[in-house]
Amino acid sequence: MRTSASEPAAARGMTLIELLVAFSIAAIIAAIALMVFMSYLRTAARQHTWRTRTLPAAAMLDLFRRDCASVFAVTNHPAGCFRLAPVVVNGVPAAELRMLVTVRSGNAALNGAGWQVGESVYGCVSPPETATGITAVLARSFTAYGPGVSQAAPVIDRLDGVRALEIMVTTGTGWTNRWSPSRGAACPRAARMRLVFEDNGVENELAAECLIPAGITLQPDRASGTNQSVSAQ
């Protein structure tokens, strides 16, 4: 049975050209949707990297800045209040930094309003045996000293996947990766830390540089016998 020329197009079905146009439009829409989905996956991957590596690394650098700004300079300490030396851990170039710092204390022995002296230690350590694909771990430990302080385990912050740790100090005439009490001054004038860490095979780097005050002096409150204020020398 032949169709007449006056018969509606809907009754005749779609032509080959119309099908090709429809498939082309569908392919363009699918390609746009795929690009949006892939962009979402890349954004999610970047956010995962930021949460698992960049954010902890930035937090570690913040601790480093805070500790450097709170160095407790004492000239009669047998081991010195600031010590820095380069080390190598599992083939990773690193450093070990030890410094005495002051922190606000909520200890009841100090009436909840005093200051405490403690030791902050930065350095790379070997990862646990259960960890796979991790070369070294950056650890920052803090041990408080003073009256009424229990001999509890130090507070430890960790950063996995460290590829390199560089800590440098200066007295104003040049940067060095070593510092000891034999230099004459209790502590350097400035310090900087550079972290290279890995996430899914991609290397990231963060750095921080900060000034170190001439030292912190605890001023005891004669009325209460507690350390109530801190001043820079």
Side-chain angles (χ1 to χ4, degrees), residues 115-162:
W115 294 82
Q116 277 185 333
V117 175
E119 184 181 43
S120 287
V121 181
Y122 292 83
C124 284
V125 297
S126 299
E129 296 180 357
T130 56
T132 58
I134 298 178
T135 306
V137 177
L138 172 58
R140 180 259 187 187
S141 64
F142 176 79
T143 305
Y145 302 139
V149 178
S150 61
Q151 299 299 319
V155 179
I156 299 178
D157 300 278
R158 295 180 179 273
L159 177 64
D160 297 336
V162 175

Side-chain angles (χ1 to χ4, degrees), residues 203-228:
E203 284 193 354
N204 297 284
E205 180 177 326
L206 287 178
E209 185 174 315
C210 53
L211 295 176
I212 299 177
I216 302 297
T217 300
L218 296 179
Q219 297 178 349
D221 189 329
R222 295 180 179 179
S224 62
T226 63
N227 297 319
Q228 297 293 343

Side-chain angles (χ1 to χ4, degrees), residues 30-209:
I32 294 175
L34 180 61
M35 287 190 295
V36 171
F37 180 70
M38 294 302 295
S39 176
Y40 166 78
L41 291 181
R42 288 192 294 269
T43 301
R46 287 194 296 267
Q47 290 178 344
H48 174 75
T49 300
W50 182 80
R51 287 193 302 267
T52 59
R53 288 291 185 268
T54 307
L55 184 60
M60 186 70 72
L61 291 178
D62 285 341
L63 288 173
F64 175 72
R65 293 188 189 97
R66 187 190 69 181
D67 286 342
C68 287
S70 305
V71 169
F72 180 60
V74 288
T75 56
N76 58 350
H77 193 280
C81 64
F82 198 101
R83 288 168 290 163
L84 173 64
V87 296
V88 177
V89 179
N90 292 340
V92 174
E96 182 182 76
L97 171 62
R98 294 176 174 268
M99 52 183 165
L100 296 181
V101 299
T102 54
V103 295
R104 175 72 75 174
S105 172
N107 195 308
L110 299 177
N111 297 330
W115 294 82
Q116 277 185 333
V117 175
E119 184 181 43
S120 287
V121 181
Y122 292 83
C124 284
V125 297
S126 299
E129 296 180 357
T130 56
T132 58
I134 298 178
T135 306
V137 177
L138 172 58
R140 180 259 187 187
S141 64
F142 176 79
T143 305
Y145 302 139
V149 178
S150 61
Q151 299 299 319
V155 179
I156 299 178
D157 300 278
R158 295 180 179 273
L159 177 64
D160 297 336
V162 175
R163 299 294 299 271
L165 167 65
E166 180 186 71
I167 301 178
M168 306 285 285
V169 296
T170 182
T171 57
T173 57
W175 292 90
T176 177
N177 61 353
R178 295 179 182 273
W179 187 270
S180 64
S182 61
R183 285 183 168 268
C187 56
R189 294 183 180 180
R192 67 187 181 195
M193 176 185 287
R194 185 177 68 91
L195 285 174
V196 179
F197 53 96
E198 181 182 1
D199 185 68
N200 295 326
V202 178
E203 284 193 354
N204 297 284
E205 180 177 326
L206 287 178
E209 185 174 315

